Short mmCIF file of all heavy atoms in Angstrom, two decimals:
data_model
loop_
_atom_site.label_atom_id
_atom_site.label_comp_id
_atom_site.label_asym_id
_atom_site.label_seq_id
_atom_site.Cartn_x
_atom_site.Cartn_y
_atom_site.Cartn_z
N ILE A 969 -235.22 34.71 -74.77
CA ILE A 969 -236.03 33.88 -75.67
C ILE A 969 -235.84 34.42 -77.09
O ILE A 969 -236.01 35.60 -77.33
CB ILE A 969 -237.51 33.89 -75.23
CG1 ILE A 969 -237.61 33.36 -73.80
CG2 ILE A 969 -238.35 33.07 -76.19
CD1 ILE A 969 -238.97 33.53 -73.17
N VAL A 970 -235.44 33.51 -77.97
CA VAL A 970 -235.05 33.91 -79.33
C VAL A 970 -235.98 33.22 -80.33
O VAL A 970 -236.28 32.04 -80.18
CB VAL A 970 -233.58 33.47 -79.60
CG1 VAL A 970 -233.10 33.98 -80.95
CG2 VAL A 970 -232.66 33.94 -78.49
N ASP A 971 -236.40 33.97 -81.34
CA ASP A 971 -237.22 33.37 -82.40
C ASP A 971 -236.42 32.29 -83.11
O ASP A 971 -235.19 32.36 -83.19
CB ASP A 971 -237.61 34.44 -83.43
CG ASP A 971 -238.86 35.19 -82.98
OD1 ASP A 971 -239.63 34.62 -82.18
OD2 ASP A 971 -239.06 36.32 -83.45
N LEU A 972 -237.14 31.34 -83.65
CA LEU A 972 -236.48 30.23 -84.36
C LEU A 972 -237.06 30.06 -85.76
O LEU A 972 -236.70 29.15 -86.47
CB LEU A 972 -236.66 28.95 -83.53
CG LEU A 972 -235.79 27.74 -83.81
CD1 LEU A 972 -234.32 28.09 -83.82
CD2 LEU A 972 -236.06 26.65 -82.80
N ASP A 973 -237.98 30.98 -86.11
CA ASP A 973 -238.65 30.75 -87.40
C ASP A 973 -238.47 31.91 -88.38
O ASP A 973 -239.22 32.04 -89.33
CB ASP A 973 -240.14 30.48 -87.16
CG ASP A 973 -240.83 31.67 -86.53
OD1 ASP A 973 -240.13 32.61 -86.11
OD2 ASP A 973 -242.07 31.66 -86.47
N ASP A 974 -237.45 32.76 -88.14
CA ASP A 974 -237.21 33.82 -89.13
C ASP A 974 -236.59 33.19 -90.38
O ASP A 974 -236.06 32.09 -90.33
CB ASP A 974 -236.26 34.88 -88.54
CG ASP A 974 -237.01 35.80 -87.57
OD1 ASP A 974 -238.25 35.72 -87.54
OD2 ASP A 974 -236.34 36.55 -86.84
N LEU A 975 -236.66 33.93 -91.47
CA LEU A 975 -236.15 33.38 -92.74
C LEU A 975 -234.70 32.96 -92.64
O LEU A 975 -234.31 31.91 -93.14
CB LEU A 975 -236.31 34.45 -93.85
CG LEU A 975 -237.74 34.73 -94.27
CD1 LEU A 975 -237.77 35.93 -95.21
CD2 LEU A 975 -238.36 33.51 -94.92
N ASN A 976 -233.89 33.79 -91.94
CA ASN A 976 -232.46 33.49 -91.83
C ASN A 976 -232.18 32.26 -90.96
O ASN A 976 -231.05 31.81 -90.88
CB ASN A 976 -231.67 34.70 -91.28
CG ASN A 976 -232.24 35.22 -89.99
OD1 ASN A 976 -233.39 35.66 -89.94
ND2 ASN A 976 -231.46 35.16 -88.93
N GLN A 977 -233.23 31.71 -90.30
CA GLN A 977 -233.03 30.53 -89.46
C GLN A 977 -233.72 29.29 -90.03
O GLN A 977 -233.77 28.26 -89.37
CB GLN A 977 -233.60 30.79 -88.07
CG GLN A 977 -232.90 31.92 -87.34
CD GLN A 977 -233.59 32.22 -86.04
OE1 GLN A 977 -234.76 32.58 -86.01
NE2 GLN A 977 -232.87 32.05 -84.95
N THR A 978 -234.27 29.44 -91.24
CA THR A 978 -235.09 28.36 -91.78
C THR A 978 -234.40 27.63 -92.92
O THR A 978 -233.96 28.30 -93.87
CB THR A 978 -236.43 28.93 -92.31
OG1 THR A 978 -237.02 29.70 -91.27
CG2 THR A 978 -237.37 27.83 -92.75
N PRO A 979 -234.27 26.31 -92.94
CA PRO A 979 -234.57 25.43 -91.81
C PRO A 979 -233.36 25.36 -90.88
O PRO A 979 -232.30 25.88 -91.23
CB PRO A 979 -234.75 24.07 -92.50
CG PRO A 979 -233.82 24.13 -93.67
CD PRO A 979 -233.77 25.58 -94.10
N TYR A 980 -233.53 24.75 -89.72
CA TYR A 980 -232.36 24.57 -88.87
C TYR A 980 -232.19 23.10 -88.50
O TYR A 980 -233.16 22.36 -88.37
CB TYR A 980 -232.42 25.48 -87.64
CG TYR A 980 -232.96 24.86 -86.37
CD1 TYR A 980 -232.11 24.21 -85.50
CD2 TYR A 980 -234.30 24.93 -86.06
CE1 TYR A 980 -232.60 23.62 -84.33
CE2 TYR A 980 -234.81 24.37 -84.91
CZ TYR A 980 -233.95 23.72 -84.05
OH TYR A 980 -234.43 23.14 -82.92
#
Side-chain angles (χ1 to χ4, degrees):
I969 301 170
V970 186
D971 275 337
L972 196 52
D973 63 350
D974 284 349
L975 290 172
N976 53 298
Q977 297 175 299
T978 307
Y980 96 88

